[in-house]
Amino acid sequence: MRGSHLSRTRTLTTVLALAVAGTAVLSGCGQKQQTVGSAPPPKKPDAFEQRADQIVRHWPKVSPVTGRQQALLPLAGADRPKGKDVREITVTVGHSACDVDFGARGHESKDLVVITGWGKRKSSKGMCTEQLATDKVKVRLKSALGDRKVVDAATGKELFKS
């Protein structure tokens, strides 16, 4: 009996060690084993997420982005929220007339809401005028705006100064 208990303890220890490492070895009927990971690797932050994190860390000492990036288009304006309890901000996105899609997105922290415009261009083949188009877009917030400042990710400037 003592040998049987020792074998079970080793097996349990091995299973626990593999579970802690984020991996499990599964076996069923037969001799095949399958290794299963616990979660996919984290997604690398995109240009906007990196910029928003930078603004949150260094606020208010933030410089504008150099050059024009499709993921960080400057906002052409914004409608002042009607109160602190709003959960939506309307911004005017300046994008290319050749964009097939455009919009705005936000990043929220305890003190800031960082917003950017974005655009997706047609294929590079063919003619495209370089005129600016503007459209109003709503950005939904996870929580009420409250006393947080709203910042344009491309320019690093506060949108609604008191």
Side-chain angles (χ1 to χ4, degrees):
M1 270 207 196
R2 188 119 168 99
S4 156
H5 175 69
L6 184 60
S7 175
R8 230 180 286 139
T9 303
R10 283 187 190 146
T11 302
L12 182 57
T13 304
T14 303
V15 169
L16 287 173
L18 289 171
V20 169
T23 310
V25 176
L26 303 175
S27 61
C29 298
Q31 300 297 331
K32 290 187 177 181
Q33 289 187 346
Q34 179 181 2
T35 302
V36 180
S38 60
K43 176 180 94 161
K44 183 180 175 188
D46 65 15
F48 169 66
E49 291 164 336
Q50 290 174 16
R51 173 66 174 167
D53 286 340
Q54 176 192 44
I55 290 171
V56 169
R57 277 193 318 273
H58 300 291
W59 182 258
K61 297 181 180 184
V62 181
S63 300
V65 172
T66 56
R68 186 169 173 88
Q69 300 176 34
Q70 290 298 106
L72 289 167
L73 297 178
L75 301 173
D79 294 351
R80 184 174 290 279
K82 295 190 185 333
K84 293 181 177 188
D85 61 335
V86 299
R87 289 181 165 263
E88 196 171 78
I89 297 173
T90 302
V91 295
T92 304
V93 177
H95 60 92
S96 166
C98 294
D99 286 340
V100 292
D101 201 8
F102 61 89
R105 61 189 276 210
H107 173 94
E108 298 180 51
S109 75
K110 184 181 117 201
D111 299 317
L112 301 175
V113 175
V114 182
I115 299 178
T116 190
W118 60 268
K120 184 175 180 181
R121 293 214 170 165
K122 297 176 187 173
S123 71
S124 59
K125 296 177 183 176
M127 297 289 291
C128 178
T129 62
E130 288 297 321
Q131 68 194 51
L132 179 68
T134 59
D135 286 281
K136 290 194 177 223
V137 178
K138 293 182 186 287
V139 177
R140 295 194 195 289
L141 304 177
K142 293 176 186 169
S143 59
L145 179 59
D147 291 325
R148 296 183 289 177
K149 295 179 183 339
V150 181
V151 179
D152 181 331
T155 64
K157 292 183 179 178
E158 188 176 342
L159 291 175
F160 313 112
K161 291 196 177 182
S162 302

